[in-house]
Amino acid sequence: MSDDSFIREVNQELRQDQAKALWDRFGPITIAIAVGVVLVTAAWVAWDYWTQTQANSSGDAYSQALSLAREGRTDEATAALEQLEADGHGAYPVLARMRGATVLAQAGDYEGAVAAFDNVASDSSVPGSIRDMAKLRAGLLLVDHGSYEDVSARVEALAVETNTLRHSAREALALSAWKQGRTEDAATLFNQIIDDEGAPQNMRQRAELMSELIRGSGSSS
């Protein structure tokens, strides 16, 4: 046997011995990590499947409740939405609360609808954007079924420049002020809508019509 062959055999045996030593030391840990990764992955896949299934089920229940509401079956729609609020998944419980308040308003229960929207608006667990929408919806109802102070209590904070709902909030305040004879306040608010380039075109047109009506009545300079 040549020296080169002997050296290669010795090196090979040394590598095998080193590999065996490494496996003896780290092999069980490697296996444990691999098994852990598989188990975690399997658990995540199962959880994702379960949540998707539950969300799909909640979506079907929500659609059914909407159908009941459209058919005028108010009591059944309300019961279905309350059930979804109690055991729904994902965003559907909050959507059910909002829709439930709308169903009450459509049925003529404005006091109950405002209370329901107020309940959503005061719930800190609900996303801020939905809480703001609940305030606006309550304020819009109160334009016809409450006082200016009632409307202001809900939407005044939404009428600031940085809020995306400011246009609708200002319109609610302006209409409420106009209905209560506060024409100067109404004119100011309608002008804010007109001057805001970010306001929707149809809303600016309504504000212009109302401003002309106020000026034509001689109630505001």
Side-chain angles (χ1 to χ4, degrees), residues 29-220:
I29 297 175
T30 303
I31 292 174
I33 292 173
V35 170
V37 169
V38 171
L39 290 176
V40 169
T41 302
W44 167 253
V45 170
W47 170 255
D48 184 60
Y49 174 78
W50 183 84
T51 54
Q52 288 294 331
T53 300
Q54 295 300 313
N56 290 337
S57 177
S58 294
D60 292 341
Y62 184 71
S63 296
Q64 179 62 30
L66 295 184
S67 296
L68 292 171
R70 284 193 295 268
E71 294 168 6
R73 298 159 66 179
T74 303
D75 291 342
E76 294 175 70
T78 299
L81 290 167
E82 288 176 350
Q83 185 64 38
L84 186 57
E85 179 184 340
D87 57 21
H89 290 79
Y92 288 105
V94 175
L95 291 176
R97 294 170 69 181
M98 292 288 285
R99 187 62 189 181
T102 301
V103 169
L104 290 175
Q106 291 172 341
D109 184 2
Y110 302 111
E111 184 177 346
V114 169
F117 282 127
D118 284 346
N119 183 269
V120 175
S122 63
D123 188 343
S124 59
S125 67
V126 175
S129 58
I130 297 179
R131 294 172 65 188
D132 284 351
M133 181 59 68
K135 293 175 186 177
L136 178 62
R137 295 292 299 276
L140 290 171
L141 284 174
L142 288 165
V143 169
D144 290 323
H145 306 284
S147 67
Y148 177 83
E149 289 71 25
D150 292 331
V151 176
S152 178
R154 273 79 176 179
V155 306
E156 185 75 39
L158 307 179
V160 297
E161 290 293 335
T162 55
N163 196 297
T164 57
L165 298 177
R166 65 185 181 277
H167 318 300
S168 296
R170 289 170 180 171
E171 186 174 47
L173 286 167
L175 290 171
S176 182
W178 177 68
K179 289 186 66 175
Q180 291 195 197
R182 301 174 58 161
T183 52
E184 291 188 5
D185 291 337
T188 298
L189 288 159
F190 282 129
N191 285 333
Q192 286 179 357
I193 297 172
I194 294 168
D195 295 338
D196 190 338
E197 294 183 358
Q201 185 61 32
N202 61 340
M203 189 178 293
R204 294 175 72 183
Q205 290 173 347
R206 290 197 300 270
E208 289 171 354
L209 289 173
M210 291 301 299
S211 291
E212 291 176 5
L213 177 62
I214 292 172
R215 285 195 299 270
S217 68
S219 301
S220 177

